[in-house]
Amino acid sequence: MKSHTVHRTFETRERREFVRITEDVQEAVDESGVQEGMVLVSAMHITAGVWVNDDEPGILEDALEWLDKLAPPSWREPGTAVARELLPDGGDYRHHRGGEDNGDAHFKNLLVHHQVVLPITGGRLDLGPWQQVFYAEFDGQRRKRLIFKVIGE
Amino acid sequence: MKSHTVHRTFETRERREFVRITEDVQEAVDESGVQEGMVLVSAMHITAGVWVNDDEPGILEDALEWLDKLAPPSWREPGTAVARELLPDGGDYRHHRGGEDNGDAHFKNLLVHHQVVLPITGGRLDLGPWQQVFYAEFDGQRRKRLIFKVIGE
Amino acid sequence: MKSHTVHRTFETRERREFVRITEDVQEAVDESGVQEGMVLVSAMHITAGVWVNDDEPGILEDALEWLDKLAPPSWREPGTAVARELLPDGGDYRHHRGGEDNGDAHFKNLLVHHQVVLPITGGRLDLGPWQQVFYAEFDGQRRKRLIFKVIGE
């Protein structure tokens, strides 16, 4: 069995941002020499995720807006009545008692999930034609890490 | 290390549908000869998912109804005030500017997740007694693919 | 390739509860002797999940409250108008026709997801500094199982 590990650091310009990383993951697979196996792509943070979806700007913008409704930030006025009700009952996250303001990003991490496992066949990511891999940053503008772990042979 | 790959094509009769695939996954495990390892079960589309849950018709019907509230289609009137608010602010998905109508299916893919990894012990899927594997189609009635990738020994 | 399997049983005191299991997973990795690989941590039930997040009591309490809004129990009055609308249209889960009362726990399982795959580097879980692994029980107070499956070399 072969294995190969890559740690990558991201610092997004925006607080919330999708960053396409399909090519970075394929590069890690190439370096590994693995022809048949799997690669784990996992955020090393609790306020970020990994999403496999369409590299189409509309859906990515839709997704950030929608995630703000389901997992609303408390650092700005909720835009809808639903978002207001989905905030914690006391009006702010208990998590913020320690000085944080990113409770919503923890919930976005829960919804999106922090990791995916991708299949490798014949040395290539075995994805469908529209599947692209995105690092999903929900509390950025600082250095954060991602791990790619390739195993197989 | 052994590996085995199966690509399966599904074409559901309904636009949204859960299709039980536990036995198909076990068949791929049998073909692989793997006794100890893992199998990745992954939709190759951005409007479908894989869910491990109960093969009980009530909960599956509940799930499709509930997913339509959280990730509402815009091709029909939202059934509730919550669904209306969870639609994009402009009333329709930005993603639909290109002629698509399946923005909701992308969000259902996000919620359900497009893949699972299942344990193999003694050549069998090591699942709990009520765990069944479902292909979750959210934009069907056309040919779509799923991959099973077995690794282990 | 090495592999190692551990089945663990949990019986939580509360109906809903997060139980930190990072150390248990590391122990399984230690027992396996695997230096480079992955470990699958998977609930064997359809009303539980596994979440990697912060071991900070505020966010965990926030999460249980928020999950009750998105995936509302029907065994108590919904606390908000949103939760009321997110209940099934008939007022109760179809799943409960068979005598169950845990439909909400199935949906929490969907949102949180029932499994994660964690990277192992140099014999250690390769997690970020705030990442802790939690067993997420949504219908507890009875014996339920979790599997750790380590593979690598």
Side-chain angles (χ1 to χ4, degrees):
Chain A
M1 201 199 79
K2 288 175 184 168
S3 71
H4 180 58
T5 307
V6 174
H7 295 91
R8 286 287 310 274
T9 301
F10 291 86
E11 182 168 358
T12 58
R13 206 175 48 165
E14 305 296 328
R15 182 162 180 158
R16 291 88 68 80
E17 198 172 322
F18 288 109
V19 182
R20 174 170 160 161
I21 57 171
T22 319
E23 291 73 16
D24 306 73
V25 182
Q26 180 62 53
E27 192 179 303
V29 172
D30 293 346
E31 290 166 5
S32 74
V34 166
Q35 293 296 305
E36 296 293 323
M38 297 179 188
V39 53
L40 169 66
V41 179
S42 187
M44 300 182 75
H45 291 262
I46 53 191
T47 52
V50 180
W51 191 31
V52 173
N53 212 272
D54 196 356
D55 192 2
E56 191 280 302
I59 196 69
L60 298 176
E61 197 179 339
D62 287 332
L64 289 177
E65 183 188 274
W66 174 71
L67 288 168
D68 264 357
K69 295 179 182 180
L70 288 180
S74 66
W75 43 265
R76 67 174 187 205
E77 272 300 295
T80 65
V82 169
R84 189 176 304 275
E85 280 206 12
L86 290 176
L87 277 170
D89 286 346
D92 198 6
Y93 292 89
R94 294 164 184 84
H95 181 56
H96 295 177
R97 292 180 301 212
E100 298 282 349
D101 73 345
N102 60 5
D104 69 295
H106 290 256
F107 289 176
K108 290 176 173 96
N109 155 286
L110 184 148
L111 292 174
V112 171
H113 230 58
H114 79 286
Q115 50 101 85
V116 295
V117 176
L118 306 171
I120 303 164
T121 305
R124 304 292 301 169
L125 293 176
D126 199 349
L127 300 173
W130 299 279
Q131 287 184 310
Q132 298 295 339
V133 189
F134 291 92
Y135 172 61
E137 177 60 82
F138 301 120
D139 185 27
Q141 299 170 322
R142 53 196 174 105
R143 293 166 62 82
K144 292 174 80 170
R145 288 198 304 156
L146 202 66
I147 181 172
F148 307 150
K149 173 74 73 171
V150 189
I151 65 170
E153 64 181 11
Chain B
M1 202 200 80
K2 290 174 183 169
S3 71
H4 181 59
T5 307
V6 174
H7 295 91
R8 286 287 311 274
T9 301
F10 291 86
E11 183 168 358
T12 58
R13 206 175 47 165
E14 305 297 328
R15 181 159 179 159
R16 292 87 68 80
E17 198 173 321
F18 287 109
V19 182
R20 173 170 161 162
I21 56 170
T22 319
E23 292 72 16
D24 305 74
V25 182
Q26 180 63 52
E27 193 179 302
V29 173
D30 293 345
E31 290 166 5
S32 74
V34 166
Q35 294 295 305
E36 297 293 323
M38 298 179 188
V39 52
L40 169 65
V41 179
S42 187
M44 300 183 76
H45 291 261
I46 53 190
T47 51
V50 180
W51 191 31
V52 173
N53 212 272
D54 196 356
D55 192 1
E56 191 279 300
I59 196 69
L60 298 177
E61 197 179 341
D62 287 333
L64 289 178
E65 183 187 274
W66 175 71
L67 287 168
D68 263 358
K69 295 178 182 178
L70 288 180
S74 65
W75 43 264
R76 68 174 187 206
E77 272 300 295
T80 65
V82 170
R84 190 176 302 276
E85 280 207 13
L86 290 176
L87 278 170
D89 286 346
D92 198 7
Y93 292 89
R94 293 164 185 85
H95 181 56
H96 295 177
R97 292 179 301 212
E100 298 283 348
D101 72 346
N102 60 6
D104 69 295
H106 290 257
F107 289 177
K108 290 176 172 98
N109 155 286
L110 184 150
L111 292 174
V112 171
H113 230 58
H114 79 286
Q115 50 101 85
V116 295
V117 176
L118 305 171
I120 303 164
T121 305
R124 305 291 304 169
L125 292 176
D126 199 349
L127 300 173
W130 299 279
Q131 287 184 311
Q132 299 294 339
V133 190
F134 292 92
Y135 172 60
E137 177 60 81
F138 301 121
D139 186 27
Q141 300 171 321
R142 51 196 175 105
R143 293 166 62 82
K144 292 175 81 171
R145 288 198 305 155
L146 202 66
I147 181 172
F148 307 150
K149 174 74 74 171
V150 189
I151 65 170
E153 66 180 10
Chain C
M1 202 200 80
K2 290 174 182 169
S3 70
H4 180 58
T5 308
V6 174
H7 294 91
R8 286 286 311 273
T9 301
F10 291 86
E11 183 168 357
T12 58
R13 205 174 47 164
E14 304 297 327
R15 181 159 180 160
R16 290 89 68 79
E17 199 173 321
F18 287 109
V19 182
R20 174 171 160 160
I21 57 170
T22 319
E23 291 73 16
D24 306 74
V25 181
Q26 181 61 54
E27 193 179 303
V29 172
D30 294 345
E31 291 166 5
S32 74
V34 166
Q35 294 296 304
E36 296 294 323
M38 298 179 187
V39 53
L40 169 65
V41 179
S42 187
M44 300 182 76
H45 292 261
I46 53 191
T47 52
V50 180
W51 191 31
V52 173
N53 213 271
D54 197 356
D55 193 2
E56 191 279 300
I59 196 70
L60 298 177
E61 197 179 339
D62 287 334
L64 289 178
E65 183 187 273
W66 175 71
L67 287 169
D68 264 357
K69 295 178 183 180
L70 288 180
S74 65
W75 44 264
R76 68 175 187 204
E77 272 300 296
T80 65
V82 169
R84 189 175 304 275
E85 281 207 12
L86 290 176
L87 277 170
D89 286 345
D92 198 7
Y93 292 88
R94 293 164 185 84
H95 181 56
H96 295 177
R97 291 179 302 211
E100 298 283 348
D101 73 346
N102 61 4
D104 68 295
H106 290 256
F107 289 176
K108 291 176 172 98
N109 154 286
L110 184 149
L111 292 174
V112 171
H113 230 57
H114 79 284
Q115 50 101 85
V116 294
V117 176
L118 305 172
I120 303 164
T121 306
R124 305 291 302 170
L125 292 176
D126 199 348
L127 300 173
W130 300 280
Q131 286 184 311
Q132 299 294 341
V133 190
F134 292 93
Y135 172 62
E137 177 60 81
F138 301 120
D139 186 27
Q141 299 170 322
R142 54 198 173 103
R143 293 167 62 82
K144 291 174 82 171
R145 289 197 306 155
L146 202 66
I147 182 172
F148 306 150
K149 173 73 72 171
V150 189
I151 64 171
E153 66 180 9

